[in-house]
Amino acid sequence: MSKLLSDAQLEQLDSFLMSPRTPAETMDIEMLDGFLVALAVGPEEVPEDEWLPAIFAGTPPEFDDHAEAEQIFGLIRQHAASIKAAFSVNRRDNPGENPLYVPVILSDEDQDEQWQETSGVYWASGFYAGIEARGEAWDALLEANEELDTAVENILALAASAGDEADTSPSDEVGAEPIKLLTTKERADRVAELPWHVEDIMYFVLEEKFGHVEQVKRDEPKVGRNDPCPCGSGKKFKKCHGA
């Protein structure tokens, strides 16, 4: 299994993605994570020469030299590979009490007292961008499976926040009904449940592609907001990936 990026590597990558040397529309690390997760669980394979430029809105970033370019692209590829490995067949068939993958959700707790009101917005927006990469294939699945459509909406609801002009999710463009904005508590709960919403989608997609796929039923309770984060950081889930 490809090794997950360390906190330092995630910070290094995010710092570059948000630097003046990248296009303004470049994904940050949270949006990139949602984007790559959608690609990993989606109905069709998306080649690297398509998804990699999309991270930078189709405009190549500016690098100091070839070495820096190799380093940044290496981090992106490693992150993509670790996510893909997390949802590999071996991982699906041998579940533990922890989720297959814990999404990267940024927290601005030290800089913004209202950060909870937009928690998960960028991740869900990235997930939607991943859906759009194969929009027709996703549309066909969503139209054929109401439960899958609901599971996707559980994630995309996070993309709408009070700062938006309309209280709708991005998925309105693929035929979904307008949704009500989440309260701060609902948003926090939805972020904490993200790993399992993603797994629900993964199994729905697999079933549509290959027939009935037995979904994992865990006897252990889900990770609570005050439980240790499954990523192994030693922090509480609400202060780490559940932030």
Side-chain angles (χ1 to χ4, degrees):
M1 180 174 176
S2 182
K3 186 177 180 181
L4 293 171
L5 294 184
S6 65
D7 288 345
Q9 288 174 316
L10 288 171
E11 291 177 7
Q12 178 188 1
L13 179 55
D14 191 50
S15 178
F16 179 82
L17 293 174
M18 294 294 94
S19 74
R21 293 184 292 152
T22 62
E25 299 82 5
T26 298
M27 299 179 185
D28 71 349
I29 192 65
E30 179 178 321
M31 187 173 181
L32 172 62
D33 191 72
F35 177 64
L36 294 175
V37 167
L39 298 185
V41 301
E44 293 182 358
E45 189 79 17
V46 179
E48 181 184 296
D49 61 4
E50 182 179 337
W51 63 256
L52 187 57
I55 297 169
F56 302 97
T59 303
E62 299 176 7
F63 294 106
D64 287 339
D65 49 36
H66 180 72
E68 183 183 47
E70 286 295 304
Q71 182 181 45
I72 295 300
F73 286 139
L75 290 175
I76 293 174
R77 290 186 177 107
Q78 181 180 338
H79 194 49
S82 66
I83 290 173
K84 189 172 183 178
F87 297 105
S88 68
V89 174
N90 288 339
R91 289 273 289 164
R92 296 169 191 162
D93 291 344
N94 296 282
E97 62 184 66
N98 295 325
L100 295 177
Y101 181 75
V102 180
V104 176
I105 305 292
L106 300 178
S107 167
D108 294 325
E109 188 171 3
D110 296 331
Q111 290 81 26
D112 183 1
E113 294 181 356
Q114 277 75 48
W115 66 272
Q116 297 99 328
E117 297 177 5
T118 57
S119 179
V121 164
Y122 290 110
W123 198 95
S125 297
F127 193 87
Y128 176 67
I131 288 177
E132 282 292 273
R134 286 296 181 270
E136 291 186 3
W138 276 99
D139 284 351
L141 289 181
L142 294 173
E143 290 173 5
N145 191 316
E146 186 176 349
E147 289 182 294
L148 173 60
D149 186 69
T150 299
V152 170
E153 276 299 326
N154 283 332
I155 290 180
L156 297 188
L158 287 166
S161 66
D164 294 337
E165 294 182 359
D167 58 343
T168 57
S169 85
S171 64
D172 292 333
E173 297 178 18
V174 293
E177 294 294 326
I179 60 171
K180 185 177 72 172
L181 292 176
L182 298 174
T183 65
T184 301
K185 183 182 184 305
E186 289 172 336
R187 178 171 292 277
D189 291 341
R190 190 68 55 85
V191 167
E193 295 164 357
L194 261 181
W196 293 277
H197 288 312
V198 171
E199 289 184 34
D200 286 344
I201 291 170
M202 177 192 74
Y203 284 107
F204 283 131
V205 171
L206 287 175
E207 185 167 333
E208 290 294 332
K209 288 172 67 176
F210 305 114
H212 179 69
V213 177
E214 185 174 353
Q215 189 165 354
V216 175
K217 300 296 183 182
R218 293 185 174 84
D219 295 328
E220 297 293 330
K222 296 179 179 180
V223 179
R225 297 276 289 165
N226 291 307
D227 293 336
C229 187
C231 74
S233 66
K235 301 177 183 178
K236 291 183 178 180
F237 186 63
K238 68 179 181 181
K239 293 290 187 179
C240 194
H241 284 85

